[in-house]
Amino acid sequence: MNIANDFQIEDIVFLKHDIEHLPRMVVEIRIQKDCIIYEVQSGTDISSHHSFEMSKTKIVW
């Protein structure tokens, strides 16, 4: 099985909706029936997101 995911484990990403622009590391990739969910960590905070919520480049508003 080949899965085309946008991010890899240990990639540093930024959430597009994060006002603080904190870097986060991809720590888990979950394959579900209709989507791929990425679990990302910043310090002790862990959250789950879709790829369209994330970017490899820092977003400056």
Side-chain angles (χ1 to χ4, degrees):
M1 174 189 321
N2 290 327
I3 297 173
N5 52 311
D6 297 323
F7 303 98
Q8 304 295 323
I9 299 286
E10 296 185 348
D11 279 357
I12 301 298
V13 297
F14 299 89
L15 297 180
K16 294 179 180 179
H17 55 79
D18 179 17
I19 296 171
E20 297 178 23
H21 312 294
L22 297 174
R24 300 163 194 271
M25 180 183 287
V26 176
V27 294
E28 181 179 336
I29 301 172
R30 290 194 305 266
I31 310 300
Q32 298 180 349
K33 180 180 178 185
D34 297 325
C35 63
I36 297 174
I37 302 293
Y38 297 90
E39 192 163 278
V40 297
Q41 181 172 358
S42 177
T44 58
D45 294 329
I46 298 174
S47 56
S48 300
H49 302 277
H50 295 275
S51 63
F52 63 81
E53 299 178 86
M54 304 183 327
S55 172
K56 288 187 180 181
T57 57
K58 189 172 186 175
I59 310 228
V60 180
W61 306 28

